[in-house]
């Protein structure tokens, strides 16, 4: 492993770019993206090392930590590469570079720079080499990337300097001198696989334990068992500033493994490299979303998930209630990772970053980069539901899958059209978006049940209509409203299933009864004529009942003032 810059041009073979442009990607295509991310990480590390060279620090200097890391890479290139490519490593590099630019805040800079020393210690343990490095102890603990958390029995409650010694895979951690002498710990760090076999157990939560292992989700693929970190310990696991450990309860970790195993089975579609098909082994880390409760929300609440271009293959997820929702989320977030890796390799568009475009999956206007990310992610989601539709064994599953497939293919194609007509795409960007267009155009010709297709088209129209009512000013020339605020999209998931006993206007519209829905919306508008949710429903229900030029005009510019006739 070397941080030296090379002049060789990084190339993506044309046939692999075509796979990625279609929204999918084989193992070979994903491997190319990972090689690109590795090269980028090394270049960023080189930049970071240059900036840390003159940083005053009580720790072992960064240059020595880097030497230890390189020595470990020579002995065990695979494990050390996994540490380098870990999502949290990318998040730390990006965050620390922002610190050196003055665009991010945090603890003293030497404390955050000390993560490099922890990375070197972890690499040394993985490779079985020996070293001694002064490291940061936070609340008496040292997080070792990819392994877990070493905790001294009586450590200080703030950032202090400790000494980490490694020898043949064993760690000896010594803290600063205290009243009873220095605290120390000796252990052999290992992770804790979840569900690795019939006798696998969740590691017990023991607050007094010296070693708290990083749990890993087990996936049994064609090449054998794969361990994917379920990271609730690492300081750079989130997308923002560093944060303390937030250990999951043992039962919650076990629930994650059960759900992940079911989701991975859903993703195991034999053959093909199209959108919506990923090898779960390509996921680098799953981070439980600590800002929500441990109990998943009931439908139709949208599951929370996020990812970052700095953290390839990582995803922050609030555990959903069912395996299909988790599988869809894994597809969605990995699509973002793939596109971010492509953007690191090619300039795909010239984005002025002005947030003015409609995104069918957002409540707010988006800039072009966000629009491209959404189109790429939801093309993958459409492919996921297409596979569910083709594999469905009962009418109910087929109806739900058909709805999601029809909705996401329609919405993604609308955004692709916006991108293609923006005049902002580079040659590579145009090739990528054109590939998505070909995929989606082919899917638009595939049959979906009339009921599911009707609900999908209605849900798409409702979202766009309400978005315009809430975001676009009622003027002759379209312009964004200055008073726009966030609004909840309660319809997209609610329309997935036909209500058996409709009561509300939305439910009547979803049930295929636009006349009753129209009357209900009219009643709501009599109380509040400008309420956007009811007005959007009234406009769409009216268009379903009487399609024609007037209906098309109302759907195109619903924000324009006009008298509302009787239902």
């Amino acid at each position: 492993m070397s941080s030296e810059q090379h002049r060789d041009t990084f190339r993506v073979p044309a046939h692999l770019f075509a796979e990625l442009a279609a929204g999918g990607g084989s193992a070979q295509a994903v491997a190319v993206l990972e090689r690109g991310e590795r090269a980028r990480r090394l270049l960023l590390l080189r930049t970071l090392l240059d900036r840390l060279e003159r940083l005053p620090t009580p720790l072992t200097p960064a240059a020595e930590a880097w030497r230890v890391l390189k020595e470990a890479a020579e002995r065990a290139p695979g494990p050390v590469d996994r540490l380098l490519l870990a999502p949290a490593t990318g998040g730390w590099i990006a965050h620390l570079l922002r610190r050196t630019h003055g665009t991010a805040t945090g603890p003293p800079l030497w404390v955050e720079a000390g993560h490099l020393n922890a990375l070197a210690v972890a690499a040394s343990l993985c490779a079985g080499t020996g070293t001694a490095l002064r490291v940061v102890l936070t609340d008496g603990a040292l997080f070792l990337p990819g392994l877990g958390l070493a905790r001294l029995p009586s450590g200080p409650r703030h950032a202090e300097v400790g000494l980490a010694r490694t020898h043949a895979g064993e760690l000896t951690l010594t803290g600063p001198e205290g009243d009873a002498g220095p605290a120390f710990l000796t252990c052999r760090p290992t992770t804790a696989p979840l569900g690795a076999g019939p006798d696998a157990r969740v590691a017990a939560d023991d607050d007094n334990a010296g070693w708290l292992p990083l749990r890993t989700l087990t996936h049994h693929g064609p090449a054998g068992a794969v361990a994917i970190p379920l990271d609730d310990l690492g300081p750079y696991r989130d997308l923002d500033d560093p944060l303390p450990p937030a250990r999951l309860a043992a039962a919650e970790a076990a629930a994650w493994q059960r759900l992940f195993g079911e989701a991975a089975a859903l993703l195991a579609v034999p053959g093909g490299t199209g959108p919506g098909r990923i090898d779960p082994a390509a996921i680098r880390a799953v981070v439980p979303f600590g800002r929500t409760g441990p109990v998943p929300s009931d439908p139709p609440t949208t599951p929370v998930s996020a990812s970052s271009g700095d953290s390839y293959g990582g995803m922050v997820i609030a555990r959903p209630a069912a395996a299909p929702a988790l599988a869809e989320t894994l597809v969605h977030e990995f699509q973002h990772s793939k596109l971010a890796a492509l953007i690191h390799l090619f300039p795909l568009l010239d984005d002025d970053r002005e947030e003015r475009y409609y995104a069918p999956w957002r409540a707010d206007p988006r800039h072009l980069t966000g629009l491209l990310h959404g189109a790429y992610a939801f093309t993958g989601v459409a492919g996921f539901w297409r596979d569910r539709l083709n594999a469905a064994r009962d009418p109910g599953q087929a109806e739900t899958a058909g709805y999601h497939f029809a909705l996401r293919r329609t919405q993604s194609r609308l955004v692709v059209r916006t991108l293609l007509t923006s005049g902002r795409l580079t040659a590579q960007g145009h090739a990528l978006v054109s590939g998505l267009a070909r995929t989606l155009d082919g899917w638009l010709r595939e049959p979906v049940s009339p009921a599911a297709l009707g609900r999908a088209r209605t849900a798409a129209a409702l979202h766009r209509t309400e978005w315009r009512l809430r975001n676009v000013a009622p003027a002759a020339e379209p312009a964004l409203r200055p008073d726009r605020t966030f609004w909840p999209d309660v319809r997209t998931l609610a329309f997935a299933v036909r209500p058996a006993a409709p009561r509300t206007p939305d439910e009547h519209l979803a049930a295929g009864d636009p006349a009753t829905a129209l009357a209900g919306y009219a009643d709501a508008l009599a109380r509040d004529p400008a309420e956007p949710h009811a007005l959007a429903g009234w406009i769409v229900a009216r268009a379903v009942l009487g399609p024609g030029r007037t209906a098309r005009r109302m759907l195109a510019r619903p924000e324009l003032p006009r008298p509302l006739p009787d239902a």
Side-chain angles (χ1 to χ4, degrees):
M1 181 174 68
S2 171
S3 64
E4 298 301 322
Q5 296 188 24
H6 296 284
R7 298 188 180 184
D8 294 340
T9 301
F10 192 93
R11 299 184 184 277
V12 178
H15 70 285
L16 297 182
F17 183 84
E19 290 180 6
L20 295 166
S26 61
Q28 292 79 10
V30 171
V32 167
L33 296 180
E34 290 184 347
R35 288 200 297 273
E37 287 297 291
R38 182 184 186 277
R40 180 176 183 270
R41 294 272 174 96
L42 290 172
L43 288 172
L44 292 177
L45 269 174
R46 178 69 269 168
T47 301
L48 191 57
L49 288 169
D50 290 343
R51 299 192 177 192
L52 297 179
E53 188 176 358
R54 293 177 296 277
L55 175 70
T57 176
L59 307 176
T60 302
E64 174 62 15
W66 179 248
R67 185 198 63 77
V68 171
L69 197 62
K70 290 207 299 183
E71 179 185 338
E74 292 170 359
R75 176 82 66 87
V80 176
D81 256 9
R82 283 194 291 274
L83 289 175
L84 177 68
L85 280 172
T89 301
W92 166 70
I93 293 171
H95 175 76
L96 199 55
L97 284 172
R98 290 192 289 270
R99 288 289 313 269
T100 63
H101 278 98
T103 57
T105 59
L109 189 57
W110 69 267
V111 172
E112 295 208 78
H115 189 72
L116 177 63
N117 296 31
L119 197 64
V121 172
S124 177
L125 289 166
C126 291
T129 59
T131 191
L133 296 175
R134 293 189 300 278
V135 295
V136 178
L137 300 179
T138 303
D139 293 339
L142 171 66
F143 177 73
L144 295 173
L147 294 172
L149 192 71
R151 301 186 295 188
L152 294 176
S154 56
R157 297 297 96 189
H158 53 277
E160 282 281 4
V161 178
L163 181 65
R165 296 181 181 273
T166 65
H167 175 71
E170 185 176 83
L171 169 71
T172 299
L173 182 64
T174 307
E177 192 79 24
D179 294 340
F184 72 93
L185 163 73
T186 298
C187 64
R188 188 170 290 275
T190 58
T191 58
L194 295 168
D199 299 325
R201 296 183 296 109
V202 177
D205 291 327
D206 183 357
D207 290 338
N208 298 315
W211 177 247
L212 198 60
L214 184 69
R215 295 187 179 114
T216 57
L217 299 167
T218 302
H219 165 62
H220 295 276
V226 178
I228 299 162
L230 181 65
D231 191 355
D232 54 7
L233 297 175
Y236 298 97
R237 65 189 185 273
D238 202 3
L239 307 179
D240 302 310
D241 296 335
L243 70 169
R247 190 63 160 176
L248 293 179
E252 174 68 4
W256 266 103
Q257 175 59 56
R258 286 193 298 272
L259 199 65
F260 185 84
E262 294 170 6
L266 286 175
L267 294 172
V269 179
T273 59
R277 300 183 181 184
I278 66 169
D279 180 358
I283 298 167
R284 295 298 174 186
V286 173
V287 178
F289 197 39
R291 285 165 286 187
T292 61
V295 179
S297 302
D298 293 329
T301 303
T302 304
V304 178
S305 67
S307 55
S308 167
D310 297 322
S311 306
Y312 176 86
M315 44 198 75
V316 181
I317 303 174
R319 180 169 66 87
L326 178 58
E328 178 187 4
T329 301
L330 297 176
V331 168
H332 180 115
E333 298 303 341
F334 195 67
Q335 289 287 101
H336 282 305
S337 283
K338 286 161 51 184
L339 182 65
L342 280 171
I343 290 174
H344 291 158
L345 295 173
F346 307 108
L348 297 179
L349 47 79
D350 175 21
D351 189 359
D352 59 9
R353 307 299 289 185
E354 185 175 346
E355 296 182 329
R356 60 179 181 272
Y357 297 98
Y358 170 62
W361 32 79
R362 296 278 301 215
D364 52 342
R366 294 293 283 157
H367 47 62
L368 281 173
T369 300
L371 212 61
L372 178 58
H373 262 285
Y376 199 79
F378 279 99
T379 297
V381 169
F384 168 79
W385 286 110
R386 176 175 177 262
D387 284 337
R388 305 286 77 70
L389 174 61
N390 293 333
R393 296 184 178 181
D394 67 68
Q397 290 178 342
E399 187 77 3
T400 301
Y403 166 83
H404 288 296
F405 171 49
L407 176 67
R408 297 313 188 187
R409 72 183 181 184
T410 298
Q411 293 177 327
S412 299
R413 189 59 181 89
L414 175 64
V415 172
V416 161
R417 184 176 66 184
T418 301
L419 290 164
L420 287 174
T421 58
S422 68
R424 295 275 186 165
L425 296 173
T426 65
Q428 295 95 339
H430 193 275
L432 178 78
V433 178
S434 295
L436 294 179
R438 285 190 291 272
T439 295
L440 294 164
D441 287 344
W443 287 350
L444 285 169
R445 293 189 288 269
E446 294 186 7
V448 173
S449 77
L453 183 61
R455 289 200 309 279
R457 288 174 172 170
T458 301
L462 285 166
H463 186 279
R464 182 185 179 278
T465 302
E466 187 167 356
W467 185 94
R468 291 193 68 93
L469 289 171
R470 293 182 181 270
N471 288 287
V472 182
E477 293 297 325
L480 294 178
R481 298 173 62 105
D483 59 343
R484 60 187 187 275
T485 58
F486 177 83
W487 54 279
D489 173 21
V490 299
R491 284 165 163 155
T492 294
L493 288 180
F495 271 59
V497 178
R498 186 182 188 278
R503 294 172 298 171
T504 67
D506 279 355
E507 289 174 350
H508 283 292
L509 191 56
D513 184 1
T516 303
L518 188 69
Y521 293 130
D523 289 342
L525 291 172
R527 296 187 295 270
D528 184 355
E531 202 287 308
H533 184 88
L535 184 54
W538 187 91
I539 292 171
V540 172
R542 187 78 181 193
V544 173
L545 281 171
R549 179 177 298 179
T550 301
R552 289 195 297 271
R553 286 177 178 172
M554 292 182 69
L555 289 173
R557 297 291 309 277
E559 70 278 3
L560 292 180
R562 56 175 57 86
L564 296 180
D566 295 334

